[in-house]
Each structure stands twice: as structure tokens, then as C-alpha cells.
Amino acid sequence: MRVTAILRAMQKLPIGIFDSGLGGLTVAGEIMRALPDEGIVYLGDTARCPYGPRGRDEVRRFVLEIGAWLTSRQVKLIVIACNTASAAGLALAQRAFDVPVIGVVEPGARAAVKATVNRHVGVIGTVGTIASGAYRTAVHALDAGVRVESVATPYFVDVVEQGLRLGEQGTLEEWLADGGDRTLDPPFEPAAREYLEPLAASGIDTLVLGCTHFPLLEESIGRIVGPGVRLISSAGETAREVADTLAMRGHLAPKGSPRREVFATTGDAEEFRGLGTRVLGRPVETSVHVPVTELESLLDVRLEAALAADIQEG
Ligand code: DGL
């Protein structure tokens, strides 16, 4: 009887999701589509974006701070909707928090291994993600015979974050096609060709968009690598994993539950509401500002010790 009451209370708790900025909304959107009854608490750490060029220890600290903020909002599961943060801090977060923590690297690798026919896969991501070798490790844990080519394309994160701010409305791809590309320095198209053409020429048949910002450039990337290369984003596979995990634990929200959505940012809340609405393709009703200092204050003695132990481990 008591167990049932606890379980019911757990089912009603929201899912926590975070990223360095807007990119994680590509994952949040998939989760919201797959699980329309679930509440969502999303945090975009816009004030500290990008994570990609930062050191691993710093990103690990951010993962703990934001995980602590989400658990203080009583989430039932945490999704690290950022490849850089997943690569740096997934294991640490899993050890530090009592709820399940799901990253995006393993789901992306799984989707790529399922999709590749010639067993030759490309991965693009931030400097942090590519340098960590997390995709190679995750792909090889599933199929050691798959060849993996990795290229860091950090400029794509700037294009997404800047392009969304410079373009007034519509999608990022529409803005690029409407001449927005010419206002970027350097323009996107030639820079993207430089990154992607050698990758496509290497014979890959599958390309993992190993950064949650990149699905917003999917059409442009697809045009450059050509129809022979299948593009994989981790969003769909991550949403499936979230659904499976909650189902196995009996923690799915009951059908028809009223959906509560909170979108928070360390940057400007009003701007995040506007940009988030464009990325999600549906209205972001509430957006709240969370100061970085508030996140920093959440690292208590226990979390500091977990971080220190993790850093020592390497
Ligand atoms: N969206 C993040 C990722 O998936 C990275 C963007 C950044 O550099 O902050 O890696």
C-alpha cells in the first residue's frame, strides 16, 4: 500500500534535462514527443556556453552543479543532453546522484552501429567530445570491428548559437539559406565543406552528429556529405532509453497527466524563451533565470569529494 503511494508520487516527478545552451532542446523535443505525459525541467547553461573548448575537470564540475540543481527540483531521472558533458561527467554523475543518469554518447553510438552497413562511421563533435575518444570507445563496446573517423567541428556550435540570435525568426537553416550565412565570419558553407568533405571521401556510410547543437544544421550537413551518408543524432535513441528506463522502473507518468514544463537558463530568460520556441518548434511558456552563483553554491562537501575522487581517477 505504502509502496504504491511512493511509486505514484515518483511517477509524477519530472525528467531533468540539461545542456550548455540551446542544443539540448533537440533532445528535449524528442523526449517530449515520445513521452507526452512527462513533466520536464530543462536547464541551458547559456552563460557558460560553449563547454566544448573547456577542460574536462571544469565540465565535470558543471555536471555536478547542474545535477545538484536538478535533483533539488526533485527530478526522477537526469538526461545529460550534451555530448561534451556526457563524455566528461556521465560516470561521475551516475555515482553522485540517486536517480538514473542517461547521457547522449552511448545512445548515439548504438544508433550508428545499428545503421552502418559498411561498418565505417564518422563522428563530428566538440573538441572536448572528440578528444575524449568517448564515441570510439562506445562504438567499439558494441562492435569492435567498426572503423571510426572523428573530426572536431567546434565552429558549428558558434554557428548555431550565433545564427539563432542573428536570425529573427524561422529555423536556422532558413536563415542560412536566406543569406544569413554571409553575415557569419567565416561563412558556414565553405568552413563546413572543409570539415566534412574529407570525412565523406573517407568512405563512411554513417555520420554521428555528436553534439546536440548539430541536428539544427542537419540539412546543410546532409547536403555536403551527400545522400550516401546517413546522419545520426542521438536524440531519438536517447528518448527511447529514457522511456525504457522509466517503464522498467514503473516510473512512467500516468496517461493524461497535466504536463509541467520548466525551462531555465543561466543566461537571459526572455531571450531563451524566444530562441527555445524556435528550436523546439513549440512555445516555451516559462523560462526562468538561474544565476551561475546559485549553481556554484550547490557543490557541498559530498559532491566536492566525489569530484576530487573522480579527477584523481583520471
Ligand atoms: N551541445 C553540446 C554537446 O552536445 C556542446 C556545445 C558546447 O560546446 O557547449 O556537446
Side-chain angles (χ1 to χ4, degrees), residues 200 204-205 219-231:
I204 57 166
D205 72 351
E219 268 172 53
S220 303
I221 294 171
R223 241 192 340 268
I224 296 171
V225 295
V229 177
R230 174 130 174 231
L231 300 186

Short mmCIF file of all heavy atoms in Angstrom, two decimals, residues 200 204-205 219-231:
data_model
loop_
_atom_site.label_atom_id
_atom_site.label_comp_id
_atom_site.label_asym_id
_atom_site.label_seq_id
_atom_site.Cartn_x
_atom_site.Cartn_y
_atom_site.Cartn_z
N ALA A 200 33.60 12.60 -45.71
CA ALA A 200 32.72 11.88 -46.65
C ALA A 200 33.57 11.06 -47.62
O ALA A 200 33.23 9.92 -47.96
CB ALA A 200 31.84 12.86 -47.40
N ILE A 204 32.90 6.68 -45.25
CA ILE A 204 31.89 6.40 -44.21
C ILE A 204 30.51 6.31 -44.86
O ILE A 204 30.24 6.97 -45.85
CB ILE A 204 31.88 7.49 -43.12
CG1 ILE A 204 31.64 8.89 -43.73
CG2 ILE A 204 33.17 7.49 -42.31
CD1 ILE A 204 31.28 9.97 -42.72
N ASP A 205 29.63 5.47 -44.27
CA ASP A 205 28.24 5.47 -44.75
C ASP A 205 27.30 6.04 -43.69
O ASP A 205 26.09 6.14 -43.90
CB ASP A 205 27.79 4.06 -45.20
CG ASP A 205 27.59 3.10 -44.03
OD1 ASP A 205 27.94 3.42 -42.88
OD2 ASP A 205 27.07 1.98 -44.30
N GLU A 219 20.22 19.61 -42.37
CA GLU A 219 20.01 19.72 -43.83
C GLU A 219 21.30 20.14 -44.52
O GLU A 219 21.69 19.55 -45.53
CB GLU A 219 18.97 20.80 -44.11
CG GLU A 219 17.56 20.28 -44.20
CD GLU A 219 16.62 21.47 -44.28
OE1 GLU A 219 16.81 22.35 -45.15
OE2 GLU A 219 15.71 21.50 -43.43
N SER A 220 21.95 21.16 -43.98
CA SER A 220 23.19 21.67 -44.60
C SER A 220 24.28 20.61 -44.56
O SER A 220 24.99 20.40 -45.54
CB SER A 220 23.70 22.90 -43.86
OG SER A 220 22.71 23.88 -43.83
N ILE A 221 24.42 19.93 -43.41
CA ILE A 221 25.45 18.89 -43.29
C ILE A 221 25.15 17.76 -44.28
O ILE A 221 26.03 17.28 -44.99
CB ILE A 221 25.51 18.36 -41.84
CG1 ILE A 221 26.01 19.47 -40.89
CG2 ILE A 221 26.39 17.11 -41.73
CD1 ILE A 221 25.91 19.15 -39.40
N GLY A 222 23.89 17.40 -44.37
CA GLY A 222 23.47 16.32 -45.28
C GLY A 222 23.76 16.66 -46.74
O GLY A 222 24.16 15.80 -47.52
N ARG A 223 23.56 17.92 -47.10
CA ARG A 223 23.82 18.34 -48.49
C ARG A 223 25.30 18.18 -48.81
O ARG A 223 25.68 17.77 -49.89
CB ARG A 223 23.42 19.81 -48.65
CG ARG A 223 22.33 20.02 -49.67
CD ARG A 223 22.12 21.47 -50.06
NE ARG A 223 22.61 22.47 -49.15
CZ ARG A 223 21.90 23.02 -48.17
NH1 ARG A 223 20.65 22.63 -47.97
NH2 ARG A 223 22.42 23.96 -47.40
N ILE A 224 26.16 18.49 -47.84
CA ILE A 224 27.60 18.43 -48.10
C ILE A 224 28.11 16.98 -48.14
O ILE A 224 28.86 16.61 -49.04
CB ILE A 224 28.38 19.26 -47.05
CG1 ILE A 224 27.99 20.73 -47.17
CG2 ILE A 224 29.89 19.07 -47.21
CD1 ILE A 224 28.51 21.62 -46.07
N VAL A 225 27.66 16.15 -47.21
CA VAL A 225 28.20 14.77 -47.20
C VAL A 225 27.50 13.89 -48.23
O VAL A 225 28.02 12.83 -48.60
CB VAL A 225 28.14 14.11 -45.79
CG1 VAL A 225 29.04 14.85 -44.81
CG2 VAL A 225 26.72 14.01 -45.26
N GLY A 226 26.34 14.32 -48.71
CA GLY A 226 25.65 13.60 -49.79
C GLY A 226 24.73 12.51 -49.28
O GLY A 226 24.79 12.10 -48.12
N PRO A 227 23.87 12.02 -50.19
CA PRO A 227 22.82 11.07 -49.79
C PRO A 227 23.35 9.69 -49.39
O PRO A 227 22.63 8.90 -48.78
CB PRO A 227 21.94 10.96 -51.04
CG PRO A 227 22.79 11.44 -52.17
CD PRO A 227 23.79 12.39 -51.60
N GLY A 228 24.62 9.40 -49.73
CA GLY A 228 25.18 8.09 -49.39
C GLY A 228 25.59 7.98 -47.93
O GLY A 228 25.99 6.91 -47.46
N VAL A 229 25.52 9.10 -47.20
CA VAL A 229 25.92 9.08 -45.78
C VAL A 229 24.68 9.33 -44.91
O VAL A 229 24.02 10.35 -45.05
CB VAL A 229 27.00 10.15 -45.48
CG1 VAL A 229 27.35 10.16 -44.00
CG2 VAL A 229 28.24 9.90 -46.32
N ARG A 230 24.39 8.38 -44.06
CA ARG A 230 23.23 8.53 -43.19
C ARG A 230 23.60 9.32 -41.94
O ARG A 230 24.61 9.04 -41.30
CB ARG A 230 22.77 7.11 -42.81
CG ARG A 230 21.69 7.05 -41.84
CD ARG A 230 20.58 6.13 -42.33
NE ARG A 230 19.62 6.02 -41.28
CZ ARG A 230 19.16 4.87 -40.82
NH1 ARG A 230 19.56 3.74 -41.37
NH2 ARG A 230 18.27 4.86 -39.86
N LEU A 231 22.80 10.33 -41.63
CA LEU A 231 23.09 11.16 -40.45
C LEU A 231 22.36 10.61 -39.23
O LEU A 231 21.19 10.26 -39.29
CB LEU A 231 22.65 12.61 -40.70
CG LEU A 231 23.31 13.33 -41.88
CD1 LEU A 231 22.90 14.79 -41.90
CD2 LEU A 231 24.83 13.22 -41.83
#
